Amino acid sequence: MKILVTGGAGFIGSHTVVALHEAGFEPVIIDNLYNSNLNVLDGIRQITGKDFPFYEIDCNDPEKVRALFEKEKFDGVIHFAAYKAVGESVQKPLNYYENNLISLMVLLRAMKEFDVHNFVFSSSCTVYGQPEKLPVTESTPRQPATSPYGNTKAIAEDIIRDHVYSAPGLKALSLRYFNPIGAHESALIGELPNGVPSNLVPFITQTAAGLRPSLTVFGSDYDTPDGTCIRDFIHVVDLANAHVKALDLLKEKTEADHYDVFNVGTGEGYTVLQLINTFEEVNGVKLNYTVGPRREGDVEKIYAQADKVNHVMKWHAEKTMADALRDAWNWQLKITPQK
Ligand code: UD1
């Protein structure tokens, strides 16, 4: 099956391209390189020994997307390409709604026109807000989003659900990712944030590498064992493999108009301080950090109940948080210029 991977040069996208190849799919990458880098393609090439078709295309450009669909004859689409900085989305909501939602609709229209029937969407546990009961299952009610970014994910899920209902033959899954971290164990691909990272692990690895003076832990007065937030940290390679399983599941589905959502997490929650301690232990490095005030918009604790993805998709997280933190550190060492 030939699979279009939008945002395929990005963090989760690049690892998914590798996983697709290993599972016998043929990935085709499009990316506008807004938050990614052409060097990623070299990393993918070194891991797989293959040069996958790459197009520098923005998914918001309907003409270019149409022309690509006409040329490539896809069997499925995995849609990663999106803006994802929570804070920035509060400052520039229109950019987020425009970019994240128009690209989705451009793709769905092209899929309809060219009879492409399998769609996997990159959603987020952010759609649950701060749930009343933990762990969260797929039937835990979604809460009003705490940021425009989060709202784009909730609206996108609704658009897909409604469109599937109206589009004969289309089958789609939304995967609600928890917190992806880590890098490929080869250290040939990993997370490459532009500018100051807003996510925890790239900030930690850049601090440990001496690129930033200190990490601030956002809040230590939460109602958790050590006062810091709890998250479900999932290794990016495990998450990439979940996309292969998602396509396998869609292939099996014979009924038309199939739509479903899955949590993709490990099912275990760890605090920010537990993660920092694990990082220091597995890598034998000391991290410079201080505890600061809470970050606006953060939820106190969230982790997945992963039963549905385990049983229905037959996917399990295989790697530990320690594996992810070791791989993230090896990647950081690889990309940090040596003094
Ligand atoms: C956020 C989004 C999530 C999105 C992801 C992608 C929300 C609620 N969550 O996840 O949907 O998919 O970003 O970017 O919208 N932390 C520090 N210091 C730092 C950075 C982070 O202490 O310098 C803490 C945060 O307060 C949080 C945890 O680390 O408790 C994880 O933060 P982060 O990596 O930014 O991810 P989320 O906010 O959980």
Side-chain angles (χ1 to χ4, degrees):
M1 283 173 87
K2 192 188 272 192
I3 307 297
L4 172 63
V5 185
T6 77
F11 176 43
I12 310 172
S14 56
H15 291 81
T16 300
V17 167
V18 171
L20 288 172
H21 166 70
E22 285 169 353
F25 291 92
E26 278 178 64
V28 172
I29 302 170
I30 68 173
D31 204 298
N32 68 358
L33 303 178
Y34 173 80
N35 193 26
S36 56
N37 191 302
L38 277 180
N39 295 336
V40 172
L41 301 179
D42 288 335
I44 294 175
R45 187 181 305 117
Q46 285 180 62
I47 295 169
T48 62
K50 294 268 293 184
D51 246 329
F52 301 107
F54 167 76
Y55 299 87
E56 189 175 337
I57 288 181
D58 192 317
C59 299
N60 287 289
D61 185 333
E63 284 318 308
K64 287 199 177 141
V65 168
R66 259 198 98 256
L68 180 73
F69 272 71
E70 200 150 30
K71 178 172 175 210
E72 288 281 1
K73 311 274 180 277
F74 298 116
D75 299 295
V77 175
I78 305 180
H79 182 37
F80 294 104
Y83 293 162
K84 62 154 201 158
V86 175
E88 183 187 59
S89 79
V90 178
Q91 304 305 320
K92 302 175 181 168
L94 294 185
N95 290 10
Y96 273 68
Y97 286 113
E98 220 168 72
N99 185 64
N100 291 5
L101 297 178
I102 291 177
S103 58
L104 171 68
M105 291 185 275
V106 166
L107 285 165
L108 292 175
R109 280 194 191 283
M111 289 179 69
K112 188 166 187 184
E113 183 178 347
F114 293 94
D115 272 332
V116 183
H117 288 170
N118 300 294
F119 186 68
V120 179
F121 177 66
S122 208
S123 188
S124 165
C125 68
T126 193
V127 300
Y128 296 116
Q130 176 59 70
E132 276 164 27
K133 266 178 51 192
L134 288 169
V136 282
T137 73
E138 289 76 0
S139 46
T140 297
R142 291 186 332 191
Q143 308 251 9
T146 53
S147 71
Y149 156 77
N151 208 19
T152 67
K153 294 295 176 190
I155 296 171
E157 286 192 357
D158 291 347
I159 290 173
I160 298 164
R161 183 204 56 213
D162 293 348
H163 176 63
V164 165
Y165 186 72
S166 78
L170 179 63
K171 298 175 284 179
L173 299 177
S174 290
L175 305 187
R176 293 174 176 165
Y177 311 151
F178 283 68
N179 285 61
I181 60 168
H184 194 265
E185 64 185 2
S186 64
L188 291 166
I189 53 173
E191 196 165 4
L192 258 186
N194 280 343
V196 182
S198 50
N199 294 118
L200 178 63
V201 170
F203 208 106
I204 289 177
T205 58
Q206 290 192 9
T207 305
L211 301 174
R212 313 215 165 264
S214 174
L215 167 86
T216 305
V217 172
F218 296 136
S220 61
D221 57 350
Y222 286 103
D223 182 19
T224 62
D226 61 26
T228 63
C229 293
I230 291 178
R231 294 289 183 274
D232 184 334
F233 297 101
I234 171 175
H235 196 299
V236 66
V237 170
D238 278 335
L239 179 56
N241 288 328
H243 294 80
V244 171
K245 297 285 189 180
L247 287 173
D248 287 342
L249 182 66
L250 286 178
K251 274 195 292 185
E252 273 172 27
K253 291 282 165 201
T254 45
E255 79 268 32
D257 317 337
H258 175 83
Y259 175 67
D260 208 352
V261 298
F262 285 89
N263 286 343
V264 189
T266 66
E268 297 206 42
Y270 291 98
T271 67
V272 170
L273 280 182
Q274 282 173 326
L275 181 141
I276 292 173
N277 292 336
T278 307
F279 177 83
E280 292 185 326
E281 272 167 32
V282 294
N283 295 315
V285 292
K286 197 88 202 94
L287 185 74
N288 199 13
Y289 69 89
T290 54
V291 174
R294 292 180 175 197
R295 180 172 72 176
E296 207 184 333
D298 271 343
V299 302
E300 182 170 81
K301 43 190 161 194
I302 186 160
Y303 51 96
Q305 201 237 55
D307 290 9
K308 185 175 174 185
V309 70
N310 293 165
H311 294 126
V312 180
M313 232 193 252
K314 304 193 176 46
W315 172 91
H316 290 84
E318 286 171 8
K319 293 172 181 275
T320 62
M321 182 168 79
D323 294 332
L325 294 170
R326 189 195 55 235
D327 293 338
W329 180 232
N330 286 336
W331 163 247
Q332 185 67 56
L333 290 176
K334 183 88 179 275
I335 58 174
T336 305
Q338 300 301 311
K339 288 188 191 132

